Amino acid sequence: MSAQILDGRHVAGEIESRLVRQIATLASEGIRPGLVAIRVGDDPASEIYVRNKARKAEELGLSGVELALPSRTSESSLLRELDRLNRDESVDGILVQLPLPSHIATETIIESIDPQKDVDGFHPSNVGRLHLGQPALTPCTPAGIIELIRSTGVAIRGLHAVVVGRSNIVGKPVAAMLLQSDATTTISHSRTADLGSITRQADILVAAAGRPLMIDASMIKPGSIVIDVGINRISDPATATTMLAHDQGKLETFNARGNVLVGDVDFGGAREIASWITPVPGGVGPMTIIMLMSNTVAAAMGRRR
């Protein structure tokens, strides 16, 4: 029996309905949460991401502002802009789209954002509070992963969760959140010896290593929940033929388009083993932006009440 699909769009829609009610309550009190999304330079992907975030904020009734700065913007100029936004009481959430141009120090910029407005959850203060189990604005993708797992109706408490990947953006924070939900949590990565022996113990498997199809069916525990965070594009025909042997749907997409997006998990094979699995795309991706909106609303409520 094939695994049930964890539809990120559906779960995000449920969260959006809850947010709309919260935003309406804030509006009745004369509060309109404000989000400012900043990008520096002309990277096409960053341009799309920032525009989509600002647009989604406006759709929900928030104030969404896209602030586009030229690539020649100096670090000091960006810091001055952030200082202005930190002091602006109409702004509840600030995010700076990464990556930044090489002449700007990412850590310096992140640390300059007011932690109470850090809706990406990257400020060291929020990172520290998360790992201490204290209230904090948490990174959006990990927060979305937890919501997806909860949407299955399976209690996290007491389960063994294995995270493949140790990034500061996904791997480490989602491991902390799983631990706080009373899962026994293991962090593994690309250098873990005999990775399959670890992943086969996972009641919950979060694949976030950024390596296409590195987790195959033999590495998955029967009946587990599989969350695939990877977004990898395959464009080589020989690679597609080999790697997509167990996923006829993806192979057909490749043949039609000349490329295809895949995750870190061999979906075709894993679907026959797991009880729940996220697709790529359409799984974790839609959760990230709605959790950003959720963080913005939480920031407004925390700062203004």
Side-chain angles (χ1 to χ4, degrees), residues 28-100:
S28 70
E29 300 172 6
I31 299 172
R32 187 185 185 196
L35 171 68
V36 177
I38 303 171
R39 66 177 173 86
V40 182
D42 301 314
D43 178 74
S46 292
E47 184 176 352
I48 292 170
Y49 294 151
V50 169
R51 182 182 302 120
N52 287 345
K53 290 168 183 176
R55 183 180 297 159
K56 188 63 179 181
E58 288 289 333
E59 287 177 3
L60 292 178
L62 308 178
S63 171
V65 176
E66 176 188 359
L67 183 57
L69 302 176
S71 57
R72 65 178 181 277
T73 299
S74 67
E75 182 177 295
S76 59
S77 295
L78 180 54
L79 289 171
R80 284 194 296 272
E81 191 63 42
L82 289 171
D83 181 62
R84 179 185 69 82
L85 294 171
N86 284 339
R87 291 183 284 107
D88 188 339
E89 287 301 310
S90 70
V91 175
D92 298 289
I94 303 169
L95 71 88
V96 177
Q97 186 66 43
L98 304 179
L100 290 166

Side-chain angles (χ1 to χ4, degrees), residues 6-20 56 60 144 147-148 151 282-294:
L6 270 171
D7 186 345
R9 295 183 181 92
H10 176 75
V11 178
E14 293 181 339
I15 295 171
E16 181 172 324
S17 297
R18 183 180 73 222
L19 286 178
V20 166
K56 188 63 179 181
L60 292 178
E147 292 290 345
L148 280 171
S151 75
V284 174
M287 299 299 297
T288 299
I289 192 166
I290 201 64
M291 298 314 297
L292 173 65
M293 301 301 117
S294 180

Side-chain angles (χ1 to χ4, degrees), residues 193-204:
D194 194 4
L195 179 61
S197 69
I198 305 298
T199 59
R200 280 191 292 272
Q201 300 175 41
D203 302 302
I204 299 170

